[in-house]
Amino acid sequence: MAGKERAVAVLLQALQGLAPQDFQEFKKKLSKVHVEGEWNIPEDSLAKAAHPCALASCMGENYSEGAVMDVAIGLFEEMNQRDLAEKLLDEKVKEYQRKYREHALREFLWYKEVNSCLGENLSVSSRYTDLTIARRPRSKRGGEREAVGTSRGCADAGNGPATITVTAQTLFEPDEDGQTPQVVVLVGAPGMGKTMTVRKVMVEWVEGTLYTQFDYVFCIDCKDMAFTKEASVADLVSKCCPHRRMPTGKILDDKKKILFIFDGFEALGFSLVQPEDELSSDPREVKPLETTLMSLLKKTVLPESSLLITTRPTALQSLGRCLEGEYYAEILGFSAAMREEYFHRYFENDNKADVAFRFARGNKILYSLCIIPVMSWTVCTILEQELYKKKNLVECSKATTRMSVFYLSRLMKCRGRDNPQDLQPFLHKLCSLAADGVWKHKVLFEEKEIKDRGLDQPELLPLFLNEKISKKGVDHGNIYSFTHLHLQEFFAAMFYVLEDDEEMVGDSGALTKDITTLLDSYSKSRKDLNLTVRFLFGLVSQKSIEYADEIIGCRISPRAREDMLRWLQGRHGGISHPSQALKVSELDAFHFLFEMNEKSFAQSALGRFTDVDLQDIKLTLYDQMALSFCIRQWAGLGCVTLRGCSFDQQDPGEELATSAPHSGASGAGGRPRPLAGQRREELLSPIHPLCWALQQQGTNLQALRLRWCGLSESCCAELAALLAGHPSLARLELGDGALGDGGVRLLCEGLRQRGCRLRVLRLWYSSLTSACCEDLAAVLGTSPCLEELDLSFSEGLRDAGVKLLCEGLQRRACQLRTLRLGSCRLTGACCRALAARLVDSPRLTCLDLSDNELGADGVLQLCQQLRHPACRLQALGLSTSGLNEEALQELAAVRALKPDLKIGYLLEQDEPQAGAMARLPFHRGVLPGAGGRKGLPSCRRGPCNNRSRF
């Protein structure tokens, strides 16, 4: 039944329910109705409508569908026939809901890609591929949000509930505690698939397969609100469907179950900090847009509604202050299986999909980038063109920038003209537009601005910008946006390095090409410029300059390279003491050098630095590739410190071609070959890229510190190989709760190799027991270099483990000078063995037994040997609380006998800094088992009571 026929049928039922006198009153009132923009019912037609059927037909013939219902509802309300008015209003709402679903399906099901043929639309259902989404537990403190960020992950407290993996379909399902999310913030970097996910959500809601608990789902594109100054909630809802007679009031007043989706929250350039007394509680009240949005976020208006907010990580800080009890979910990208599925969905032809996917999978950079949906799309787009030409796929670009430049060349070919002479002037104008937008947080451009810049060229403009009818109406012209923010940032970077044509020089009002200003702004406050700066480094590489000139005809100037080199070298300045090490402490520096991918430039940039010091970062595979590239060019690197970092690793079953190179990892055609168990564990070790880079010839690494990095037993095989093959490595510090005895045994294999020259081994919080001490004792008795062994905070070590270690100490070849066993739950039972070693091991000068309950008998046994002339000990760590008077007097006597002997609390406190565990990537367990903050051994007794000195 058509919409008007349904409306007339419902009206007829209502008219038939009127008493005769009420029917006449309805006709009388109807004769006085004048509807703007509609035909009025002629008097003679109205007079002939003597019964309900005729009157309903008469109204249907003279009014539009919406007017029929609105007029009848208004008259019934005037007549105080509220039941009939309510019945019609309900029907109107149902009809609107049907029309809204039809509109939403048209709006979101079909979309057009920049590389699609003219007039070709693609279906979300056929192209969308499931993403990996991690949801962290519900926020319980308003205004105190831990860092959440794509590429860096979302952090959560170390003792909080575990993060779970969800899908777009389960975002609003109850959590483990039975709490149903009302506000979900979906976080993702540009190109991670946030908007495509929103499209999929809208389509499946319309189809009735998703979010059926909501009567309405209204999707609001934040970019489209850029020109809106004032609005009510009702206005925002009305813009979601161009239905002139939308029953907004009925929908909002009836407290329907509504889900608001705000897509691209970061596009809102204004502050959302609003006084509480200015917030609205009436959905019809018109307020400044920021006030209306804050009212929705703060739940002062429509408190029963639900919110799904998609945003880039840069907007999380301001957003977090507006919300309470929200859930954060981060789009992590495509899993290995989903990457392959996407290739097959894109190509549709299985043979082409297999060829393209094998190529991408065999190229470690491309394959790692394909975890990002927009890069999978870019790679597929390029490979599709190459396969069409039947060219060798190996010729394709490898880095992000060169891939984008290659894609730009594909766009030029799509327009059917190979002559690029007209491209350089157009690109100048386009890049100026992109840069201006990036500086001003602007993604929408009005038609006047396009024309003023001379970009209204029909052959070129549609290749780069999407055209959209302005919400203000046709009279205001169209609005434009780049096909993706990723591409706008690429063109913004290109603005700074494209050589100027003569006609462009002196262009008044143009943005100044000051690279120093761009770089300094990024360093100081504009972290949103990261991708633009990364593209900048990629564009000035020699390969990009040559490629752009040869393939596209664009001349890129290399003059900026020196400024960029000086900027990199000066970023980590501020050293207060000449002897203080120069450290690189920001990961982005490695990404910039990796993007350029020039060994000589990287060597120059890193030459004055000696240390890497990174904290609280989730190192993705691509992060590790960037770090590994720089380490291989860094001859002066002496120390690597990673604290509170975690390592993403390739999925089980993937060949090593997706990671750092390793001989024999794959067979012919890129197919993985069967691996033995230990070899497979080595393959899947999360720190393999780092260790592989450190093993390369030319590095002078002396110290490696990996603390609170979630290392597993499999990592120790990589570290053992590094120890055996890196003679300059003198210090290894591991602080983690998952190494265990098996991991230590693997380390000992490396320590026993001839090539190992390690002098200091520190294993803190490593869940060791006495089971590994026999291996450690063997190392102590044979290692020609090991001078310090620190097993502090190993509660499982106990007395039995110490006795085994003493067997290694008594061997003549033992070179150990320092043994630290603080907070290992030792008792006096181990003191006889230790006391004997004080005399038998003349090289031993420091023994730390702090934070152990040795008892008076144990301390007296130690003191007896400390008096011996052959005892060369210079420092003894002890906790004196609980000792009797005899033991204390004996310690005082020893101190008087040997005034140079330091006796006291020596245990270093190297627990995670406040918040360090909370800032760890929220979707990775850093300390499995009992390794969380509550399980730290050093916290079992108050250290302040154990630090008495003599």
Side-chain angles (χ1 to χ4, degrees), residues 777-834:
V779 170
L780 293 178
T782 57
S783 174
C785 301
L786 191 63
E787 297 177 351
E788 179 176 340
L789 177 63
D790 189 346
L791 304 178
S792 300
F793 308 107
S794 298
E795 288 193 323
L797 202 62
R798 305 295 177 92
D799 300 326
V802 174
K803 292 176 182 178
L804 289 172
L805 290 177
C806 288
E807 295 179 7
L809 288 173
Q810 69 183 1
R811 297 180 185 176
R812 291 186 178 182
C814 180
Q815 303 295 316
L816 202 69
R817 297 177 180 273
T818 300
L819 177 61
R820 299 186 183 275
L821 301 171
S823 195
C824 289
R825 289 193 180 273
L826 306 183
T827 70
C830 68
C831 289
R832 183 179 299 277
L834 284 171

Side-chain angles (χ1 to χ4, degrees), residues 361-474:
R361 187 177 57 184
N363 183 308
K364 61 181 182 293
I365 299 177
L366 284 186
Y367 188 66
S368 65
L369 285 176
C370 284
I371 195 173
I372 304 172
V374 74
M375 291 309 302
S376 284
W377 168 75
T378 301
V379 170
C380 287
T381 299
I382 296 169
L383 298 185
E384 182 183 39
Q385 295 292 330
E386 294 302 300
L387 288 171
Y388 179 77
K389 294 180 177 183
K390 298 182 180 180
K391 283 195 172 182
N392 189 350
L393 292 182
V394 180
E395 296 176 3
C396 287
S397 307
K398 293 183 178 180
T400 312
T401 304
R402 292 201 295 276
M403 180 66 75
S404 300
V405 174
F406 190 87
Y407 173 61
L408 179 57
S409 72
R410 294 301 94 201
L411 291 181
M412 294 300 97
K413 301 296 183 181
C414 288
R415 64 180 179 141
R417 293 175 56 182
D418 293 329
N419 187 357
Q421 293 179 354
D422 60 340
L423 178 61
Q424 186 99 355
F426 179 85
L427 272 184
H428 269 288
K429 300 167 186 175
L430 181 74
C431 294
S432 177
L433 178 76
D436 188 61
V438 166
W439 275 107
K440 297 176 180 178
H441 300 284
K442 186 177 181 181
V443 295
L444 290 179
F445 306 93
E446 293 182 332
E447 188 169 344
K448 182 178 183 301
E449 186 172 4
I450 299 297
K451 291 181 178 179
D452 290 345
R453 290 179 180 268
L455 289 169
D456 51 336
Q457 300 182 31
E459 290 185 356
L460 289 170
L461 185 63
L463 299 176
F464 303 98
L465 298 180
N466 287 330
E467 183 178 357
K468 204 170 187 179
I469 298 175
S470 173
K471 292 288 186 180
K472 293 182 177 181
V474 179

Side-chain angles (χ1 to χ4, degrees), residues 520-578:
D520 288 345
S521 296
Y522 170 72
S523 291
K524 294 175 181 177
S525 60
R526 291 293 300 273
K527 296 305 179 184
D528 58 297
L529 297 173
N530 176 275
L531 194 53
T532 301
V533 175
R534 188 183 297 189
F535 278 131
L536 190 65
F537 275 86
L539 284 168
V540 296
S541 71
Q542 194 59 40
K543 288 183 179 180
S544 291
I545 293 173
E546 295 172 359
Y547 184 82
D549 182 48
E550 177 184 352
I551 303 299
I552 309 175
C554 295
R555 297 180 301 279
I556 294 177
S557 171
R559 291 190 297 269
R561 291 166 61 99
E562 293 184 5
D563 292 333
M564 295 162 69
L565 178 60
R566 283 193 296 269
W567 175 73
L568 272 180
Q569 292 174 333
R571 286 187 73 198
H572 304 273
I575 301 301
S576 58
H577 194 276

Side-chain angles (χ1 to χ4, degrees), residues 58 74 134 185 222 296 314 360 466 479 525 531 545 580 624 657-658 765:
C58 181
V185 180
C222 293
L296 274 171
T314 51
N466 287 330
I479 56 175
S525 60
L531 194 53
I545 293 173
Q580 188 173 348
Q624 295 173 60
T658 65
Y765 302 106

Side-chain angles (χ1 to χ4, degrees), residues 67 141 144 161 175 420 441 585 697 775 865 938:
R141 305 181 308 278
E144 299 181 17
D175 61 15
H441 300 284
S585 56
Q697 293 181 354
D775 294 88
Q865 295 298 86
S938 64

Side-chain angles (χ1 to χ4, degrees), residues 919-939:
R919 291 193 302 272
L920 286 172
F922 81 91
H923 60 276
R924 288 181 56 86
V926 176
L927 295 179
R933 290 295 298 272
K934 290 184 178 179
L936 296 181
S938 64
C939 299

